[in-house]
Amino acid sequence: MSDLTPNSDLVLVIGNKNYSSWSLRPWLALKATGRPFQEKLIVLRRPETKAEILLQSAAGKLPVLKHGDLTVWESLAICDYIAETWPDAKLLPADARARAVARSVMSEMHAGFMPLRRELPMDIAKLSPAAQQGVTPSEEARLDIARVQQIWQDCRGRFGKHGDFLFGAFSLADAMYAPVATRLRSYGVALDPVSEAYVNAIYALPAMQEWCAASAREAPLPEN
């Protein structure tokens, strides 16, 4: 690892906890390692936000992980780096078949579900009128919601019998789907029993409770 050590100068640059779904994912992964890290929050939706993010990464997006002289951007890449750097955290299933499915559902979350993301943006503390009043998802968003529940049912049924999460113990797959759990709860989406229990398990995580408490202390941002 050249001059890097697993605990040296570890900084995660994130956006507002109430709104930044991509920031939540690696934050939960880092918390699961038990390693201390610094947190730098950049407030979103301000004239100076873009410039502040560009100072952290040329990609101009959050989150960003700084580990010594290494910069890693892109949530999925950051999560992979965390899992590889701290293998004792067991953030990927040990079984190769389960691990292949985990990577598949993580990639599907990373690349898809655009109608769901667009119509039900993350708003944990329900600071927006839409989250307070509820929304009627489009047919495309309803298909996304059905697919998410299908993934959860399948993973829980095949791999999650010895724990509360998709592959039993908490993994990167759960970090990737945690923001979806908040969306479905914030907007009052009815869920099947397996999915409802899974959302409850996500919210019961101490790290998730810490994130939600911080999100509740944030001020509302201007609507997009």
Side-chain angles (χ1 to χ4, degrees), residues 41-74:
L41 189 146
I42 294 177
V43 178
L44 304 174
R45 303 180 193 171
R46 299 171 301 144
E48 61 269 34
T49 295
K50 189 69 172 181
E52 291 181 5
I53 296 173
L54 285 169
L55 290 175
Q56 305 298 323
S57 168
K61 295 182 179 180
L62 297 175
V64 178
L65 180 69
K66 305 273 189 174
H67 190 190
D69 63 358
L70 175 69
T71 296
V72 187
W73 62 100
E74 224 338 294

Side-chain angles (χ1 to χ4, degrees), residues 59 67 74 80 101 106 131 144 152 159 173 180 193 195 200 209 212 218 222:
H67 190 190
E74 224 338 294
D80 278 339
V101 174
M106 290 162 57
D144 280 353
W152 292 353
F159 306 108
V180 182
S195 298
N200 290 339
Q209 293 178 6
C212 290
E218 294 179 349

Side-chain angles (χ1 to χ4, degrees), residues 137-215:
S138 68
E139 177 62 21
E140 291 80 5
R142 288 197 294 272
L143 289 173
D144 280 353
I145 292 167
R147 173 57 183 155
V148 165
Q149 292 184 85
Q150 182 184 45
I151 289 171
W152 292 353
Q153 292 166 7
D154 178 60
C155 291
R156 292 285 300 135
R158 287 201 286 162
F159 306 108
K161 296 177 181 177
H162 300 293
D164 295 327
F165 299 100
L166 296 180
F167 294 84
F170 180 84
S171 73
L172 293 185
D174 303 297
M176 290 299 292
Y177 280 89
V180 182
T182 73
R183 285 174 158 98
L184 300 180
R185 175 165 289 188
S186 294
Y187 295 90
V189 176
L191 302 173
D192 67 81
V194 171
S195 298
E196 183 68 34
Y198 176 64
V199 170
N200 290 339
I202 290 291
Y203 270 87
L205 279 167
M208 190 69 189
Q209 293 178 6
E210 180 183 344
W211 180 280
C212 290
S215 73

